[in-house]
Amino acid sequence: MTESPPTMRTRIADCLTKVAPGTIVDVRGWVRTRRESKQEFAFIELNDGSSFHSLQVVADKSIPDYETLIKLVQTGASVAVVGELKESPAKGQKVELHAQSLKVLGQADAAKYPLQKKGHSFEFLREKAHLRPRTNTFGAMARVRNAICHAIHCYFQQRGFLYVHAPIISTSDCEGAGHMFQVTTLDLAKLAQLQQSKGTGASPSGAPTASMEIDYTKDFFGKKAGLTVSGQLEAEIFACSVGDCYTFGPTFRAENSNTTRHLAEFWMIEPEMPFYELEDNMALAEDFVRTVIKEVMAKCPDDLQFFNDRIEPTLLASLENISGNDFIKLTYTEAVDILLKSGQTFEYPVAWGKDLQSEHERFLTEQHFKQPVILTDYPREIKSFYMRANDDGKTVRAMDVLVPRIGEIIGGSQREERHDVLIQRMQECGLDPADYWWYLELREYGTVPHSGFGLGLERTVQLITGMQNIRDCIPFPRTPKSADF
Ligand code: ATP
Ligand code: MG
């Protein structure tokens, strides 16, 4: 892209990389630091978020009103500078801006400014989510997250996948795990009153009991509704009509897991492909992850170098390794065998039939294989109803992609396309087939083998930035007891 936005302003990223020295530019941003030298001139580090590096502005007495203005140029203040870009004699920067005029757009009291130079803990910064994007780490996170999203869309668009918007409000619980946030316009205060006046209607915890059935026909949608936990079922509808497609949207899970890998609101990318069997699905998932990493490495070298230097010293080496080598593929059963024979003591014991925990996934990817791993054919009891049943009667065609430092980043499967088997699986999972009549009809009219998977965006940001906590990989994290900003 060569066209500039409709403003005279030049982005700092462009000043540092594209604009020729000698050009007069108009730059605007926030002051990171100001150093004065013998009252004669000052260096101002200006950042506008467009690049990791700030632009050094040199301001001196030739600027109208210099003495008064320079006192207002404090850390956190916003300023506009017009001046000439010149080659810089200083080390570590190619250009600097020699100011001809300076305007303070918004003052800031540097003594009170919450972001002090000393650096802050990530916990502290989460409480300052309105200002943390101005720090090196969160500016870099925002740019890397953006680059990941761009790479994801490009990946699918270049391959002819259709971008499908799945609904956010849903009446089906895709994972069948009951972790939905309820959406209702029923008057909860009235229900509580009713509960009190009846006296017996509630359990000691206050939760309604069976004797206090709620009439959802009176609710907004005429039935119980919630925020979607996955767009997969809707993606399947489109895949079985228009072909390869993907969703990219927010998903919500009211699971009370206070871990560094779970959010209550996160973004998921869910491609769904007709005529794909599990092997095709695995090949796509691997190529997808590796390609996205490569693109982001090419697009954000400064940001990733920062994460490597300051956050996770193995980051760049691990990204090279993941993007440059084939993933290991094995079955869940083989993985359980490796874990059992590993001689490791895990917090959660390993046994065939139990779900793998993050510690097990990390052992496989960090210590045993030292590479990403795709595990397939999980026990049917621990996986969702829609995964295609294997003939052994014990496992399903599931695939999880596990990566170092995180564990599961993708969950996917070949879908059950056989009408009778699907009904049987729903009943096994305690679901009422009548609730999924439309999903079943896809298997009645022109059913096809098909597959898909879900990639968690924030876990991908975690992987590519090396950030420890998923709460620092989304602008405004939502977790149990926390939804500020
Ligand atoms: P986990 O076992 O790690 O809780 P899951 O098996 O419940 O994950 P899936 O339902 O398979 O997750 O969802 C697909 C992907 O979405 C996961 O591989 C992960 O990358 C991401 N994901 C799932 N739950 C969360 C969450 N609570 N917060 C952030 N990302 C999530
Ligand atoms: Mg999963």
Side-chain angles (χ1 to χ4, degrees), residues 213-278:
E213 282 286 305
I214 291 171
D215 182 4
Y216 283 109
T217 60
K218 302 245 161 51
D219 203 349
F220 190 89
F221 298 106
K223 54 163 90 165
K224 197 173 175 182
L227 297 177
T228 184
V229 296
S230 160
Q232 178 199 317
L233 303 190
E234 290 87 357
E236 282 190 52
I237 295 179
F238 273 76
C240 293
S241 310
V242 296
D244 300 339
C245 63
Y246 68 107
T247 71
F248 191 149
T251 43
F252 309 86
R253 294 193 188 171
E255 42 188 356
N256 205 357
S257 16
N258 259 309
T259 77
T260 54
R261 304 173 312 117
H262 289 91
L263 291 163
E265 175 179 306
F266 62 100
W267 287 65
M268 207 165 19
I269 296 91
E270 297 181 274
E272 190 70 36
M273 295 75 59
F275 320 115
Y276 268 51
E277 304 206 355
L278 192 71

Side-chain angles (χ1 to χ4, degrees), residues 175 253 355 361 378 383 386-387 399-400 408-412 454 459:
E175 297 297 320
R253 294 193 188 171
D355 212 352
E361 298 172 342
Y378 281 71
K383 288 292 184 190
Y386 51 72
M387 299 192 179
M399 57 158 231
D400 279 6
E408 180 185 332
I409 194 166
I410 282 180
R459 290 203 191 162

